Amino acid sequence: MSERAAPPGKLALVQDLVNTLDVESGADALDTADGRAPFGLTEDTAAFARELRESLRVTLLAHAGHPPHRAVTPLGELLARAPLVVTVDPADGSAALAPVDDGPLLSRIAAAVAEAVAAGTWNRLKACEADDCLWAYYDRSPAGRGRWCSMQVCGARAKMRRYRAKGA
């Protein structure tokens, strides 16, 4: 739904996973082989990916100052299971966390989160506050106080609801 630019670094993977579910329609891209393919998932691993997706969504809602949309396994508990290694670039000596053997989705997500934390971009990845959306977006606003994935769609709807409520 978002017309916003992609997030920096590997956060695009996190955003893409969260946005595999259209909350309004209930359509879940992880229900299909084509929807699972970009994440290297099989039908057998899709259930865990859904659990990870909703834990990420709750965290992104928290980044935006919103309560959880439902009870989930805490993201920290899930990421603690991810096999990661420290890599060091021989050319410049820079270090990073990376999945073991380009690992499963969980490891790639954990590495993306670690990279974003180190870069100071993690808290800018948020979930739209609209209950019928909850789409992940990267908040590039100067103050970091973006509330909706799309001002033209979700923001406009919220403002219209508030306006109508005042007149009622």
Side-chain angles (χ1 to χ4, degrees):
M1 175 172 300
S2 179
E3 72 278 349
R4 294 176 182 254
K10 296 175 185 168
L11 280 179
L13 174 64
V14 176
Q15 177 177 295
D16 290 348
L17 178 61
V18 172
N19 292 346
T20 58
L21 177 65
D22 181 332
V23 173
E24 188 172 22
S25 72
D28 187 344
L30 299 182
D31 287 342
T32 68
D34 287 343
R36 292 187 297 269
F39 304 101
L41 297 170
T42 64
E43 201 169 338
D44 294 337
T45 58
F48 179 76
R50 286 184 186 93
E51 179 182 18
L52 177 60
R53 174 183 68 200
E54 296 313 309
S55 291
L56 285 163
R57 189 182 317 277
V58 164
T59 301
L60 303 186
L61 282 165
H63 287 174
H66 308 300
H69 66 300
R70 66 180 194 164
V72 297
T73 304
L75 183 59
E77 286 182 26
L78 296 177
L79 295 181
R81 303 179 202 166
L84 298 172
V85 296
V86 176
T87 60
V88 179
D89 186 322
D92 66 7
S94 61
L97 285 175
V100 175
D101 297 326
D102 208 23
L105 178 62
L106 177 63
S107 294
R108 291 182 288 140
I109 293 288
V113 170
E115 176 187 278
V117 168
T121 58
W122 173 236
N123 287 343
R124 290 270 183 153
L125 190 63
K126 300 178 178 182
C128 183
E129 77 173 38
D131 291 337
D132 58 349
C133 180
L134 304 177
W135 208 250
Y137 68 94
Y138 189 77
D139 182 1
R140 295 182 185 279
S141 67
R145 293 190 181 141
R147 299 172 59 185
W148 301 287
C149 66
S150 167
M151 189 57 213
Q152 289 72 25
V153 178
C154 293
R157 285 180 189 166
K159 288 181 175 191
M160 186 56 69
R161 279 191 291 270
R162 279 198 304 270
Y163 174 78
R164 288 181 181 150
K166 286 181 185 179

